[in-house]
Every structure is written in C-alpha cells, then in structure tokens.
Amino acid sequence: MKTRMTNYKPLLLLMFVLASWITFTVFQNATKLWTALNLPISLHQWNLITKASWPEASLCPVISAAETELRIKAIMEKLDQQIPPRPFAHMNTTTSAAHSTATILNPRHTYCRGDQLDVLLEARDHLGRRKQYGGDFLRARMSSPALKAGASGRVTDFNNGTYLVSFTLFWEGRVSLSVLLIHPSEGVSALWRARNQGYDRVIFIGQFSSGASQVNTDCALVLNSSAELCQYLDAQDQEAFYCVRPQHLPCATLIYMHSKNKNVSYLSKQEKSLFERSNVGVEIMENFNVISVSKCNKETVPMKEKCKPGMTSTVPSGHVWKNTWNPASCSLATVEMNKCLRGKSVYLLGDSTVRQWMEYFKTSIRTLKSVDLHESGKLQHQLAVDLDRNINIQWQKHGYPLIGSITYSVKEIEYIARAIDRTGGEKNTVIVISLGQHFRPFPIDVFIRRVLNVHKAVQRLLLRSPDTMVVIKAENIREMHNDAERFSDFHGYIQYLAIKEIFQDLNVGLIDAWDITIAYGTNNVHPPEYVVRNEVNVFLNYIC
C-alpha cells in the first residue's frame, strides 16, 4: 500500500495546501483551465480568463455586447481544449464501473470524526484494461441513512486513469461510501460535442392571437427557416428569440408558448448506448463494507463564524446530519423567518427551483397573502405580501429559453437582466437568481452569454445601490436517467462551475444547491421540501 502511494504524495500535498472546491471530475489536463476546476489550482488558472483578460468589474461597469462575445469565445475555446474528443470503436474500450478498482489508502478498523479518508480509484475498461486518460464523470458521496446524514466527496483526476476520492468524516457512526460512474470519459466527450452542435433538440410553439384569429408557429433561439421571422430582441444585451411570422397577424400578437422535444439527436447509435439506463450512475464501490467512525476524544472543534456572503467555498461545502444542512466553513444560526423578513422586498428571479422557495415562504409564513396579478398558468408571476410586517416577496420566471409542455403566457416575459435594471435596490432589497435547468439542452454559449449579461446587471445594481443583497442559487442535480443528451447533470455541472466563477468577483451570496443536493442524495429536479427549507435557512442567515 505504501509503495502504491509514493507517486501521489506531491499531488496530495498540493491538494492540502491549495483550496479545492469541486466534487466531480470531468477533464483531462491538470495544468490547464477547466481541469483546474477539478484540482486545487482551479482559481488561479480560471482567473487567466475571468480576471486577467477581462476588465475589472469595479473599474469598467459598461461592457459592450462585442466585448461579451469575445469573452464567450475565449471561454468556449478553453472548454473545447479541455474536453477533447474521445472516439471509441467499441463499448468494451470505455470505462467500466464493474472492472474499475477502488482501494482505501491507509485503512483502519476505526476512524475518528474529522479525519480524511482517501480512496484511490483505477479506471478500467470492460476488458479489464487500465485506462490511460481521465475525464470520467464521477459522483462521490458518503452517507448514514439511519442518521439522515450525507456529504459529497472531493474527486481529483490525475489524468492518467487514476483518481483520488477524499471524504471528510463529519459525523460518528456507521458510514457508507459511494462513487458513481455517471458517464465514462467517452460519454462526456460525446455529450459535449452533441450539446454544441445544434439548437433544435427542443422546439417551441408560439401562439399568436388577435380577435378571432389564432395561429401557432414554430419558435426557437435559432430557426433554420426560409420563412419570414419575428425577432424578439433584447436590444441592450443582443439576446434574441425567433418565431416564424404568422400570416395576417403582427409579431406583437405572440401571447402564449409551450415546448416539446424533437426527434433530433447528435449522438451516434454507439454513443447512445453509453446513456442507456444500465450504464448511467453505476456504483464503483459496490462491495465495500461500511466504515466505523468514532469521536476519539478529540479536542472540541472551535466555533465557526456565522455564514455570510463572500465566504470562500470549500469541498465539500458542508454535510447533512439529522436532515439538517451544516456548512463546513461557517455556522448557521436559528433565524425566525417573520422577524428576518420584516420590511424586506425579496425578488426571486429564475426557474421553478427558486419558485419552490416562493411556495415554501407562502406555506411557512401564515400572514403572507397572495396577490392576484391576473395572470394564468403555472409560470405566472407570483406576489405575496404581509402588510403588517411590510414583507413583499415575488417570483418571476426568467426569459427564453423556458421549457414546458404546459402552455404559459409570454405577454410579460422579461430577461432577468432587465428585471434587475428596473430595481432600485437598497439595504432592504434582496434579489435571488437561479438559472440553469432550462439551458441544458442548448449549446453552452447560450448559458454563458445569459450569465454574463446578468452579471453586468448585478454589477450596475451594486454600483448604484451597494447595500442591496444579491444571492445566487446554484442549480441542483436532477434525475439521473432522464434523457442524458438534453438534461444530463454533466451539462448542469459545467453551468454550475461557470456561474460560480463568473460571479466570484462580486460581493454576492451563494447557495450551493449542487453540493447540498448531492449531500441529501436527491436526484430530483425539484428537491423535497426539507431540502428547500435548508436552502432557505442559508439564505436567511445571509440577510439577517
């Protein structure tokens, strides 16, 4: 065992010295940008793009659309370099969870709470041959179901077919370890290529209506059509959405929208086999026994400071114990929601995962009354107020793309950046932003452009009203076996990394829903209420 560890000591030392904050592993070269997002040197490498070649936020509040396009191009080029093509002739040459091996380093009969337990993984293909490159998409988690406890693990890719998985033993008791092979590196490469190849895996149907006339036409972010088009352009940020122009009706009569999946795929038949249910999320540590963790009479852990925006993120960022989220680097106080929100205006901007917050607030604060805004549908703008306490909470959906098989109104649809621009902001104004799930089926530049434009809007807001609190709710993991080409967590993971990095130069709070939902083990696009409650608790600690 000691001999096997010798070659890894320098890298292990580097891991402990530098800050690492990623729980998955994806990429290929540890000295380059996006692999660095898996390794301890992540922030330094990423800053080569986000900081060194971009104007400082505080010094350059006005950034043109052309400059934004240059930023997107630079990020895309780096991503393409870090996720190289991995063509394969046969399924047998791809990574196999069953044939890959896991070895606990320096195993013991009993571990102590607070220790780090390291596992060395060696990826092998279906013929048992050692893989010579990394890039497998892995998810590490430790759990104690009887204690309702869980936490993510940190994965380091050595880019040669071996991985180090590090678990922090946060609690006492019997602990199970898990490392799932979500996708082999060959699948990661295929998903990346396919994602950026086309916009037409999802098509939107717009309903135009005026008087007795009603017409449905195809709509999309990009429409390959010779027909005349209606363009719905955000002039400030140059983001556009298109519909085929209906005959005899003006473009302004677009009132409703819904979407549907098209029978379009950019994966080969062989590549599709990698995403069959039996090949997604396969356990590597199948035959491992639970480990025993004791208190070991260690010294009392020093008190941690209260959680606040701008704190450095860790990996893992915390753990769940007795179904309650406990951050690793700070402490959460018990906050009385009614008192905390008194006098505050809370704007929840984004997708349905932050709409869950709205629903939670309405059920948890009995004095909060919904206001009928005379809109219809599941995605209607929601407003709730408590006049006695002067609490105002509202949820608003983000702009296109907005995927939904149920028809929703687009009369009032608005990009988040515009909603932020019309918000005055002050010390009692709180904005929560959640973007991600609806962008997964589309090329990554769509998401990067949107986040950069929202970043610019937040930057403008904080310049005019620096006391305004802004919180980013990262996207969460979702169902593992639900249409990988469109909705794989690999797509979400790239977006999770991007939004964290793009916003790291601003004084905003982060709700790390990605790590939280891994810890809870909720593979659901809409996590259960107890997860939402814990996300909101972090939020309340930020603002009160």
Side-chain angles (χ1 to χ4, degrees), residues 164-275:
L164 185 75
V165 183
S166 300
F167 296 98
T168 301
L169 305 178
F170 289 106
W171 62 86
E172 303 163 43
R174 294 169 61 79
V175 177
S176 298
L177 305 179
S178 167
V179 179
L180 300 180
L181 174 63
I182 307 295
H183 303 309
S185 52
E186 295 80 8
V188 166
S189 172
L191 285 176
W192 178 247
R193 188 205 72 249
R195 176 176 187 173
N196 295 306
Q197 233 170 305
Y199 295 81
D200 52 351
R201 276 171 288 259
V202 175
I203 190 69
F204 297 85
I205 294 87
Q207 183 183 119
F208 295 79
S209 181
S210 180
S213 300
Q214 182 175 307
V215 179
N216 290 347
T217 74
D218 286 350
C219 304
L221 292 164
V222 173
L223 268 178
N224 295 318
S225 173
S226 58
E228 187 178 358
L229 301 179
C230 293
Q231 182 191 57
Y232 302 93
L233 176 68
D234 180 279
Q236 182 165 338
D237 289 330
Q238 293 297 301
E239 293 194 73
F241 191 76
Y242 301 89
C243 292
V244 173
R245 182 167 190 156
Q247 290 185 351
H248 313 304
L249 285 178
C251 293
T253 59
L254 176 65
I255 58 172
Y256 294 114
M257 188 77 66
H258 71 276
S259 70
K260 64 180 181 181
N261 293 341
K262 286 187 69 177
N263 187 25
V264 171
S265 174
Y266 294 95
L267 297 173
S268 68
K269 183 178 180 180
Q270 182 169 259
E271 288 170 338
K272 287 179 182 179
S273 67
L274 296 175
F275 307 108

Side-chain angles (χ1 to χ4, degrees), residues 34-203:
W34 279 82
T35 301
L37 290 171
N38 283 310
L39 293 177
I41 55 176
S42 60
L43 297 182
H44 308 294
Q45 293 285 348
W46 175 250
N47 284 346
L48 293 175
I49 285 186
T50 60
K51 286 290 192 74
S53 60
W54 294 9
E56 286 289 341
S58 59
L59 300 178
C60 187
V62 179
I63 299 170
S64 69
E67 288 175 303
T68 298
E69 291 304 315
L70 288 175
R71 295 181 178 188
I72 296 167
K73 182 179 179 182
I75 295 171
M76 290 294 298
E77 287 176 352
K78 286 292 184 179
L79 283 168
D80 284 334
Q81 291 171 13
Q82 304 320 312
I83 313 176
R86 295 293 184 196
F88 60 100
H90 195 278
M91 184 78 173
N92 285 343
T93 64
T94 67
T95 308
S96 162
H99 290 83
S100 297
T101 62
T103 304
I104 294 179
L105 303 178
N106 303 313
R108 284 180 270 163
H109 180 68
T110 301
Y111 294 85
C112 295
R113 188 182 68 186
D115 285 351
Q116 178 172 298
L117 184 151
D118 292 320
V119 177
L120 185 68
L121 296 183
E122 291 188 352
R124 297 180 180 274
D125 66 20
H126 289 262
L127 299 177
R129 298 174 301 194
R130 170 87 171 271
K131 295 293 290 290
Q132 300 301 312
Y133 50 84
D136 296 309
F137 192 40
L138 306 172
R139 179 175 298 167
R141 181 174 182 260
M142 54 183 282
S143 62
S144 297
L147 299 174
K148 295 183 178 179
S152 66
R154 184 177 70 244
V155 181
T156 302
D157 186 347
F158 294 133
N159 308 301
N160 59 4
T162 61
Y163 304 83
L164 185 75
V165 183
S166 300
F167 296 98
T168 301
L169 305 178
F170 289 106
W171 62 86
E172 303 163 43
R174 294 169 61 79
V175 177
S176 298
L177 305 179
S178 167
V179 179
L180 300 180
L181 174 63
I182 307 295
H183 303 309
S185 52
E186 295 80 8
V188 166
S189 172
L191 285 176
W192 178 247
R193 188 205 72 249
R195 176 176 187 173
N196 295 306
Q197 233 170 305
Y199 295 81
D200 52 351
R201 276 171 288 259
V202 175
I203 190 69

Side-chain angles (χ1 to χ4, degrees), residues 283-289:
E283 181 62 66
I284 293 177
M285 301 186 69
E286 184 74 48
N287 300 316
F288 273 68
N289 296 324

Side-chain angles (χ1 to χ4, degrees), residues 348-352 354 395-398 402 416 432 434-435:
L348 307 174
L349 307 176
D351 57 31
S352 57
V354 79
W395 173 79
Q396 177 180 334
K397 61 181 176 284
H398 63 66
L402 202 62
I416 286 179
V432 182
S434 180
L435 286 168

